[in-house]
Every structure is written in C-alpha cells, then in structure tokens.
C-alpha cells in the first residue's frame, strides 16, 4: 500500500508539471492549423479530451500510442506519386497535426483492478457456502464490476511538460464519436475545390458536399480546410473544381476513429503534368473496437470459470471436501443446482411449479426454448440500450444484417414454438377451444395496449397525444402475430400422434402433413405480401420499389422509402402515427416517416412465427426420437438457407429480394429462420438431451421475457441502468454502461425466478 501511495504521489507531481490548459471534459476539438508546419505532440488533455491541431514544431521524441490507441505506423493512399517527405515548408505532408488523448492513469488502473480483484475474491470465498445459483449471481456482478474497471476512463500522467500551443480559435472542428479529422491541403493555383463524400455502405447514393477549399494564393502555401469525416465505414471522396464542375480526382479510404489525416492536392511532374491526391496519416487513430474485445474476453473468462466450477462439482474428491465444510443438505443442493447436471426428473429443464400442466404424463417444459428466448431477449436489451454506440450493434440503414437485426425475428420465432407447445398442453388438460380463444384475444389485446400506451418511442416528442401517437411497434406486432398464429393453430388443432405413429406410412412427414391447412393459409398470406410489394401502384414511385428513397438510387425517388410498405402505412395510419426516426435516415437522409413494424411487414412476421410453430411441432411429434428431431432441424435450416441464397444471390444489394429488416422481406425471414433452426439444433441436444448446459444465465430472462422487455424500456433512463458519462463521445464508457445495465436485468430475472415471480398475461 505504501508503494502504491508513493506512485500515486509521483503521478500527481507529474500531472502538476504538465499542461494546465486542457479543454473541458468530454469535448474532442480539432483546430485548423495556422500554418502547415510539423508540430510536437501534446500530452493528453484531462478527462479524455482529444484536441487535434497543428502549428508548432514537432518534438524529436514522438510520444508512443496509449493503451487505447492503434499501433503506430500510418499508411498513405496515393493516386499519384508520393509527396516528398522531410520538407519543412509547404503542405506536402510533412506538416502533421497532432492528436492527443487521455490515457488511463496507472494509479487509476490499479485502483480499478483492486476493486475488481476484491469483488472476485469475495465471490470466490463465498462460493463454497453458496448454492450454484448464487455463485452465478456473484460471477455476473464480478464480471460487471470488472468490465467497468477495465473499460472505465481514467486520467494519465503527463509524460513531459510542454507549453500550450497556439490555436486558431476562429475555425475549429468538433470531432464526435466515429469521426476522424481530415485536413485538405489545396496547392492548386487559381482552382477552388469542392470535396464531396459518400459512404461505401450507401448503395447508389448521391455524393454529399463535405467542404469547400479555396485556391492556393502562392506556390508552396496551400489553402487548408479542416472537416470531420465518418470513420464507421469506408469513405469515397470526390474532388471537383468548383467553377468548372470538373472532377479533379476520386479516391476511397477507411478512416479510423479520432485519427488525424491530410489530403494533399497538388500538381506533380512525372513526364505529364497531372494532379495527385494523396492521403497521409498525421496521427494514428484509436482502436475503437478494443473495449468490445476486452468485454468479450471477460465474458469468455466467466464461461470458463463456470465450466471449471461445474467440473469441480462433478469430482467425488471435491464433493467430499465440500461435505466437510458444509452440511450434507447444502452439499446436495449445490451439486444439483443450475451449474450441475439436471436431475432425471427435470431432463427437459422444466419447473413443474411454474405452470399447472395438469397430469404427470403431460409434456414438461423444454428448457432450450426458454434459453433461446433469453438469448434473443438479452441481446435485444443490450442493443436497445445502445450497444456501446457501435454501428454493428445498431440496425442496418437499409439492406443487410447487423447484430441488432437478429434478435426480434428470433423472438418471434420462439414465440411461435411456445404457442404450439403451450396450446397442445392446454388442450390436453381438457380446456375448451372457446375458452382458449378468449384467452388468446385478451392476451393479444394486452400486448397491443402495452405497446401503444407504455412502450411508445414517440414519448420523446412530448406528452402522449393522439395526433402524434405511434400506432405500430414491437409489442403491437407481437400481439397481432400471436393472435393470428394462435387462432390458426386453435382452429386446426389435432391430437399429437403417439409414439406408435412412427411406424405408419409417411411418418417422416407427419409434422408437415398434419398441418396442411395452416400451410395453405401461410402460403396465401405470403402471396398477398408478394403481390402488394411488387404490383401495388405507388404514386410517384416505380412499381415494386424496395429501396430506401432519400439520396439512394441517385436521388430519383426521395419520398419512396419502403415502396408499397411505406405507402400503405402512410395511407392507412397517417404519417404522424409512424416511427419518425427510421434507420434509413442515417445514411440515406430520408425525410419521410417510415415504420419498420408496419402493416405489410406483419405478414412476414406471421410467417416467421409459423416457422417457429413448425419447430415446436417437431419437438413434440418426435419427442422420443432425438435423431429425428436433429435431422429435421438440419433439413429446415438448409432448406431455408437455400431459399435465401436464391433470393439474395449471396449479396447485400444485388439480389431480387435483399435481406431487409425494415421491410421484413421474405429473404430476411428465411435467413433468420435458418439461423433459428440451427441454434435449436445446437441447444436441444446440449441443454435438454445431454444436459451439458442448463441455459444459465439466459434461461432466467427467458422465463420472464415480458417483464424484462417492458421493464428495460420503462426504466431505461433511470439509475442504475443509466448515469451521466464523463465523456459521452467514448465508446468504452457507453459500452460499460450498457453491459452493466444488461447484466442487472439478468440478475433481476434470476432473483425473480428464485422468488417464483413471473409476469404472464
């Protein structure tokens, strides 16, 4: 402790000798250089400030990258010969703008590590006396604390005292998350430049004006403009002479977050007089994905720890040692807990006390179904809370898939499986179809009401009022989908064939043949979707249009977002009652309202749920034949995957029906259903047959899915699920907050499970 105190004191002295003119916490400011000269790198400003500027001489000793920075060594992309290096005059690339950033302080890291270590030690010391379920809760808390300790920002000691650099305060660029600084050096005499920008992910999009750069006044003195550019995806830059609208050059480049780059535009003489455009890295970007890697390693360590604990519990010698420390009753409970193998009576992972399933011969609850539901729900909570503000944890702007696009269809799929399993069980207990229909209608009504009144994103526009009320939504779509699929199954419900039916003719297809009326109805629904999507005339739009509108398709159809799907919603529901901030507005700059949970897409969500019904039917029809279940899951996964390949041509944008979450296209449904069958193919033998995994911790939120979903939406802005960040432009701070908030909901679900509290409607 004494050594730690001395180190902390030395750190304070070093910080006192450093730059005392740091900018305000949380702001990353990039100042336009006063002159294109090399400059010394300034130590990081306090509180995670990254100030990007140039104008003074670079010191001989270059400061190394911090622990969150990418490895040193900048690369250059050139469309002409390389610019001369080492020249101290002019904007030829030797002038580099310095980027500084706060690094986690050593003392701060030690304090954080000590807190994380203490939590881990406490959890380890009590594991012998706790049950395995409580040990799991302790491990979850330890992982959250450790994530916060490793990902939380911290100050860094100054590595050398440097005087404050002069800045041009009249012109500056404020860098935000996922942005980089680009300094455009125009050495062309009598030529003003207009720089246009486009993202490589924006399909057939118009170029957008990025910045105008005035002409150079004299040779060797370039005119410089500074601008922030997106670092999420690759960028396409197009430079044109402003007066002549003549393209000077075009290049593609992937900028890194908070990197500092120069774009040098000048004449070169290599036998032919031409214009060269070169991108030079002045300062390396930070590794913005490092926090995700750290969080993943922490999660992996948690999984390994749980597996190791379970392995220890399976050893007789370890159990004997435990028996000497605690009483035999506690030992038996520890061995047969969630971290141990499920008992023979609970081979299917059901808690018989959760629901009144009637006679003992009734089928028990399949644990893999609740585990799958929990996986989808927890990912949904994480991405809804922000997912660390990473683009791949947000919904795709239009075509394509991200992590956020996976979870809702999986939830719909597993809802379909639950419909068939629970309805079959209810009918076997003698419940009348009329009474069950009333329950279905009431449950659908409650889901739709919760979605409209409680979980309504348009609350951000002010108090709830009818003129701005969003009618579609996630719970609304779940309610409609549940009603249609449940009523369809209720109307054509048949007794589940016994085990002797396997010897009958066509027994290998009885799960499909027994439900042929339902399949006809689903095919009819899909025909309606295809007909409306590709043949419904939409005013001002081409028939069958599937694009995002806005600047997509070269800006020819700016108000045609979603084609027929958007038109039907605006016609029947009104534009004010739709989602006002669709994901297409990010890249495609759409201005019309579009709802991803609209009317037309609900048809395909019904198809998705019915495919889940098919999975539940397989589980029940072949419950004593594990090989037959796995074979059918494999066949369905491959069959649906082949349909997706045919529709998309294994391309994001070039297929006849691209994968699109906003439209809920049929290729989106077949792709996600293929993934869902594959996940069940893994979960069923692992969780329910072999008992290698009990589904922990996902099983617990899967058992209380409605409460977790509504709760995380209602309490999203409340502590401890959200707090004020020291730097709201930091991925790692957002990721820490979102991981802790998600882990808290897992812990809440676990506590409610142990208290046998379940919210069902």
């Amino acid at each position: 402790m004494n050594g730690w105190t001395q180190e902390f004191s030395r750190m304070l002295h070093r910080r006192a000798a450093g730059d005392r003119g740091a900018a305000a916490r949380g702001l990353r400011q990039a100042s336009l250089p006063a002159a294109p000269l090399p400059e010394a790198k300034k130590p990081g400003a306090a509180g995670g400030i990254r100030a990007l500027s140039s104008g003074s001489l670079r010191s001989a000793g270059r400061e190394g990258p911090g622990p969150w920075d990418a490895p040193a060594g900048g690369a250059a992309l050139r469309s002409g010969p390389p610019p001369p290096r080492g020249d101290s005059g002019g904007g030829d690339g030797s002038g580099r703008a310095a980027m500084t950033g706060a690094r986690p302080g050593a003392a701060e890291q030690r304090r954080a590590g000590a807190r994380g270590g203490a939590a881990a030690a406490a959890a380890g010391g009590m594991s012998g006396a706790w049950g395995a379920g409580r040990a799991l809760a302790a491990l979850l808390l330890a992982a959250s604390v450790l994530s916060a300790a490793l990902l939380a920002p911290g100050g860094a000691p100054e590595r050398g005292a440097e005087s404050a650099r002069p800045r041009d305060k009249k012109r500056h660029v404020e860098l935000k998350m996922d942005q980089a600084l680009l300094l455009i050096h125009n050495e062309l005499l009598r030529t003003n430049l207009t720089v246009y920008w486009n993202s490589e992910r924006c399909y057939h999009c118009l170029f957008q004006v990025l910045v105008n750069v005035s002409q150079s006044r004299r040779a060797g003195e370039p005119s410089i403009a500074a601008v922030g550019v997106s670092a999420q995806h690759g960028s396409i830059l197009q430079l044109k002479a402003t007066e002549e609208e003549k393209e000077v050059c075009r290049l593609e480049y992937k900028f890194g977050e908070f990197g500092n780059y120069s774009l040098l535009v000048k004449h070169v003489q290599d036998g032919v007089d031409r214009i060269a455009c070169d991108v030079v890295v002045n300062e390396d970007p930070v590794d913005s994905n490092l926090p995700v890697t750290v969080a993943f390693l922490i999660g992996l360590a948690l999984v390994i720890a749980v597996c190791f604990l379970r392995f220890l519990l399976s050893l007789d010698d370890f159990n004997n040692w435990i028996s000497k420390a605690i009483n035999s009753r506690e030992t038996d409970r520890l061995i047969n807990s969630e971290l141990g193998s499920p008992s023979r009576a609970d081979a299917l992972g059901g808690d018989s006390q959760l629901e009144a399933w009637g006679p003992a011969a009734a089928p028990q609850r399949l644990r893999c179904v609740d585990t799958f539901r929990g996986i989808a729900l927890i990912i949904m909570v994480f991405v809804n809370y922000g997912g660390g503000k990473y683009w791949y944890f947000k919904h795709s702007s239009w075509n394509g898939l991200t992590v956020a696009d996976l979870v809702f269809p999986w939830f719909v799929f597993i809802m379909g499986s639950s419909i068939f399993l629970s309805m079959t069980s209810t009918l076997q207990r003698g419940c009348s179809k009329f009474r069950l229909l009333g329950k279905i209608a009431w449950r659908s009504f409650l889901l739709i009401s919760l979605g409209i009144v409680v979980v309504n994103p348009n609350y951000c526009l002010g108090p709830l009022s009818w003129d701005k009320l969003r009618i579609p939504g996630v719970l609304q779509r779940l309610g409609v989908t549940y009603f249609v699929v449940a009523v369809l199954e209720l109307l054509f419900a048949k007794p589940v064939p016994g085990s002797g039916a396997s010897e009958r003719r066509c027994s290998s297809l009885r799960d499909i043949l027994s439900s042929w009326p339902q399949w006809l109805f689903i095919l009819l629904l899909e025909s309606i979707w295809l007909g409306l999507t590709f043949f419904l005339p939409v005013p001002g739009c081409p028939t069958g249009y599937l694009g995002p509108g806005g600047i997509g398709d070269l800006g020819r159809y700016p108000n045609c977002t979603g084609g027929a799907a958007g038109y039907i919603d605006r016609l029947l529901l009104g534009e004010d009652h739709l989602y006002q901030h669709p994901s297409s507005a990010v890249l495609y700059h759409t201005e019309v309202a579009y709802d991803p949970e609209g009317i037309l897409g609900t048809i395909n969500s019904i198809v998705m749920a019915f495919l889940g019904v098919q999975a539940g039917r397989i589980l029940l029809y072949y419950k004593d034949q594990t090989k037959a279940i796995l074979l059918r899951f494999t066949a369905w996964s491959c069959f649906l995957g082949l349909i997706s390949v045919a529709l998309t041509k294994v391309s994001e944008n070039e297929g006849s029906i691209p994968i699109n979450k906003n439209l809920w296209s049929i290729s989106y449904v077949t792709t996600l259903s293929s993934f869902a069958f594959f996940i069940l193919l893994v979960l069923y033998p692992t969780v329910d047959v072999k008992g290698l995994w009990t589904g922990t911790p996902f099983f617990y939120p899967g058992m209380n899915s409605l409460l977790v979903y509504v709760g995380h939406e209602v309490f999203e802005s409340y502590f401890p699920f959200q707090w004020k960040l020291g730097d709201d432009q930091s991925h790692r701070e957002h990721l820490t907050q979102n991981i802790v908030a998600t882990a808290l909901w897992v812990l809440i679900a676990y506590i409610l499970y142990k208290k046998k509290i379940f919210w069902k409607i």
Side-chain angles (χ1 to χ4, degrees), residues 4 24 83 186 206 263 275 300 312 348 363 414 436 474 520 543 589 610 643-644 679 694 737 753:
W4 180 87
N186 181 14
L206 291 174
L263 173 59
I275 298 175
L300 183 62
L312 289 179
L348 293 180
I414 213 65
L436 190 54
V474 172
L520 286 179
T543 303
H589 302 285
F610 188 74
I643 293 177
S644 299
I679 292 174
T694 60
Q737 184 182 79
Y753 175 83

Side-chain angles (χ1 to χ4, degrees), residues 42 60 96 154-155 158 162 217 225 255 261 297 321 364 366 412-413 449 507 513 544 559-560 631 686 698 736:
K42 180 179 178 180
R96 299 189 179 191
E158 303 277 346
E162 298 183 29
R217 296 183 178 179
F255 298 98
Y261 304 85
L297 293 177
W321 179 80
Q364 291 180 301
L366 286 164
V412 172
F413 182 92
S449 300
S507 62
L513 297 178
N559 298 319
C560 294
L631 181 63
T686 304
F698 303 106
T736 301

Side-chain angles (χ1 to χ4, degrees), residues 366-584:
L366 286 164
R367 202 176 183 96
C368 68
V369 173
D370 293 311
T371 301
F372 191 5
R373 186 189 298 110
I375 292 173
L377 181 61
I378 289 307
I379 300 176
M380 184 185 293
V381 170
F382 176 68
V383 299
N384 284 352
Y385 276 162
K389 302 298 181 181
Y390 289 97
W391 67 268
Y392 41 80
F393 291 136
K394 299 177 182 179
H395 291 296
S396 178
S397 286
W398 198 246
N399 295 333
L401 280 178
T402 63
V403 175
D405 297 327
L406 305 176
V407 291
F408 188 27
W410 285 348
F411 198 87
V412 172
F413 182 92
I414 213 65
M415 180 183 72
S417 300
S418 301
I419 287 173
F420 181 79
L421 295 173
S422 65
M423 182 178 296
T424 302
S425 175
T426 302
L427 292 176
Q428 285 179 346
R429 297 201 312 265
C431 180
S432 67
K433 288 188 176 183
F434 182 78
R435 182 180 178 186
L436 190 54
L437 178 62
K439 291 182 177 180
I440 292 171
W442 176 246
R443 185 172 297 174
S444 302
F445 171 76
L446 289 180
L447 282 173
I448 295 172
S449 300
L450 282 173
I452 293 177
V453 178
V454 180
V455 187
N456 199 303
N458 282 2
Y459 274 132
C460 61
L461 303 178
L464 185 65
S465 61
W466 177 250
D467 58 339
K468 294 292 183 182
L469 176 69
R470 182 194 178 195
I471 297 177
V474 172
L475 288 180
Q476 296 92 307
R477 173 166 286 187
L478 287 176
V480 174
T481 302
Y482 171 80
F483 180 80
V484 174
V485 175
V487 170
L488 180 65
E489 284 299 307
L490 182 63
L491 291 176
F492 299 100
K494 295 180 180 179
V496 177
S499 58
S502 60
E503 301 176 358
R504 298 175 186 173
R505 188 178 180 182
C506 297
S507 62
S508 58
L509 297 176
R510 70 176 185 268
D511 55 308
I512 299 176
L513 297 178
S514 64
S515 57
W516 67 266
Q518 296 97 305
W519 276 110
L520 286 179
F521 180 80
I522 293 300
L523 291 176
L524 176 62
L525 277 183
E526 189 55 37
S527 300
I528 293 174
W529 183 87
L530 291 171
L532 291 175
T533 299
F534 291 102
F535 299 105
L536 178 68
V538 179
C541 305
T543 303
Y545 182 70
L546 299 176
I551 64 173
D553 299 293
L554 302 179
R556 291 175 294 183
Y557 317 112
N559 298 319
C560 294
T561 303
Y567 173 69
I568 291 173
D569 290 339
R570 291 189 290 270
L571 181 66
L572 299 182
L573 302 178
E575 191 164 334
D576 290 337
H577 298 293
L578 304 178
Y579 190 53
Q580 301 297 313
H581 309 285
S583 59
S584 57

